[in-house]
Amino acid sequence: MPDTKGYLITTDNNADLPGWYIEENHLGVTYFTYALDDISYRGDDPTMGIHDFYDKMRSGSLAKTQQINPDQAMDFFRKYVKEGYDLVHICFSSGLSGTFNNMCIARDDLLEEFPDRRIVVVDSLCASMGQGLLVHKALQLQKEGKSLDEVVAWLEENKLHLCHNFTVEDLKYLHRGGRISKTTAVVGTVLGIKPVLHVDNAGKLVAEGKIRGRKQSLIALVDNMEKKLGNYQNDVVFISHGDSEEDALFVKELVKKRFGINEFILGNISPIIGAHSGPGTVALFFMGEIR
């Protein structure tokens, strides 16, 4: 374990960070579970590859997800607290899951047992690699020698500048998740409409526009980035995708050419989020003036 100034940064698998990144940064991750064809899996279950998961969705399989409960959260926190660490836990958006509340319940119960420890649970108000980028920024600050309180203060001051732009390939998954009506899904599919969405200040998914055609919807992600950047300078941009690497690379090249950004981290959208967004989702994450 590297020098951490006595505290660790942890998160959950909805941050969609690649396995190599988690290992390289010794990042503690707690895992949501999901069910596919009535078989339950943990978010990192190696028996269900990401391509296989999305292929099953394309074939009509229905995926259902389950939030992290207080007992699971307690077990996760306990192993670090027992080793003498304080924690900054960056959690999946409270606007999309009750997990943040459950992590807080577990924290409060555990600190009664370990009153000399600190556990700060940060509601990221983010999802997928937007949450992942927030974790990345926190890890950078920790490596620079910032204290737990300094990291938490930065997260709270800056999390609403973490911009999410994404588009989906098939509207039926948003309909299943209650994000759009059946009529909108059917008409949009017939007309080739691709919605562009973002995550708002309450951490909820919100439609931002409707674009006709897949390529144009991918370009719109980068157009929206230009509108939202303001004076922010991004040293790295994160892009996640639902088994659609070619489209993610297309967006990467657009960002690179338009803004001169050369550092990117790409990752798969995990089954937990992919169950609701579906295969073919592409999402772009960066720091900006306007969320």
Side-chain angles (χ1 to χ4, degrees):
M1 183 68 68
D3 180 21
T4 61
K5 292 180 70 67
Y7 71 95
L8 299 178
I9 293 165
T10 60
T11 191
D12 57 67
N13 62 312
N14 280 345
D16 286 345
L17 289 162
W20 65 262
Y21 185 97
I22 292 170
E23 183 177 349
E24 185 177 292
N25 289 279
H26 306 278
L27 183 65
V29 178
T30 181
Y31 289 87
F32 284 65
T33 58
Y34 67 97
L36 189 66
D37 296 330
D38 296 322
I39 301 174
S40 294
Y41 301 88
R42 203 174 86 151
D44 62 339
D45 194 320
T47 65
M48 177 59 71
I50 197 71
H51 179 70
D52 293 335
F53 169 79
Y54 282 114
D55 263 359
K56 285 182 176 292
M57 287 195 74
R58 291 182 181 105
S59 299
S61 293
L62 181 63
K64 297 180 180 179
T65 61
Q66 187 172 16
Q67 65 190 23
I68 297 167
N69 64 45
D71 288 339
Q72 292 169 316
M74 177 88 79
D75 291 342
F76 175 72
F77 285 152
R78 182 184 295 277
K79 63 184 177 182
Y80 297 113
V81 169
K82 284 180 69 175
E83 293 175 4
Y85 289 106
D86 294 332
L87 298 174
V88 177
H89 182 76
I90 302 173
C91 190
F92 185 49
S93 173
S94 64
L96 298 170
S97 169
T99 294
F100 170 72
N101 185 57
N102 291 341
M103 302 303 288
C104 291
I105 291 171
R107 172 202 61 199
D108 293 345
D109 288 347
L110 193 60
L111 290 182
E112 290 183 8
E113 185 179 345
F114 296 91
D116 294 332
R117 295 269 62 85
R118 295 185 65 196
I119 302 173
V120 181
V121 182
V122 176
D123 182 359
S124 72
L125 299 175
C126 295
S128 189
M129 289 186 80
Q131 180 182 339
L133 181 51
L134 202 66
V135 171
H136 177 71
K137 295 292 186 182
L139 287 168
Q140 283 185 320
L141 290 170
Q142 185 186 43
K143 290 171 184 176
E144 292 170 7
K146 302 298 185 185
S147 68
L148 180 152
D149 288 322
E150 288 173 317
V151 170
V152 171
W154 188 93
L155 290 171
E156 294 295 348
E157 289 169 8
N158 288 275
K159 64 187 182 183
L160 293 183
H161 291 287
L162 203 305
C163 302
H164 303 55
N165 287 333
F166 70 100
T167 188
V168 301
E169 190 168 36
D170 194 324
L171 293 167
K172 69 182 178 184
Y173 302 105
L174 290 178
H175 165 58
R176 283 181 185 174
R179 302 298 172 189
I180 60 174
S181 68
K182 183 176 182 179
T183 300
T184 298
V186 171
V187 173
T189 299
V190 170
L191 296 178
I193 298 297
K194 307 296 181 183
V196 175
L197 304 99
H198 73 114
V199 174
D200 67 9
N201 286 353
K204 298 175 184 265
L205 303 184
V206 178
E208 191 163 27
K210 298 176 182 178
I211 307 294
R212 181 169 291 184
R214 174 66 167 179
K215 184 176 181 180
Q216 291 304 312
S217 70
L218 298 174
I219 294 171
L221 298 181
V222 185
D223 291 341
N224 282 351
M225 179 176 177
E226 188 166 6
K227 296 174 185 176
K228 295 180 178 184
L229 274 175
N231 294 321
Y232 274 73
Q233 301 295 319
N234 284 266
D235 58 341
V236 61
V237 165
F238 281 21
I239 301 172
S240 62
H241 62 90
D243 198 31
S244 189
E245 185 176 19
E246 185 176 340
D247 287 342
L249 291 172
F250 173 76
V251 171
K252 172 188 170 181
E253 289 305 312
L254 285 180
V255 171
K256 188 174 181 180
K257 290 176 182 176
R258 194 175 302 189
F259 306 111
I261 296 169
N262 292 307
E263 186 175 349
F264 297 82
I265 295 181
L266 274 64
N268 290 297
I269 296 174
S270 70
I272 309 302
I273 293 177
H276 303 283
S277 59
T281 301
V282 176
L284 174 63
F285 308 98
F286 54 93
M287 300 297 294
E289 191 68 41
I290 304 169
R291 196 172 211 212

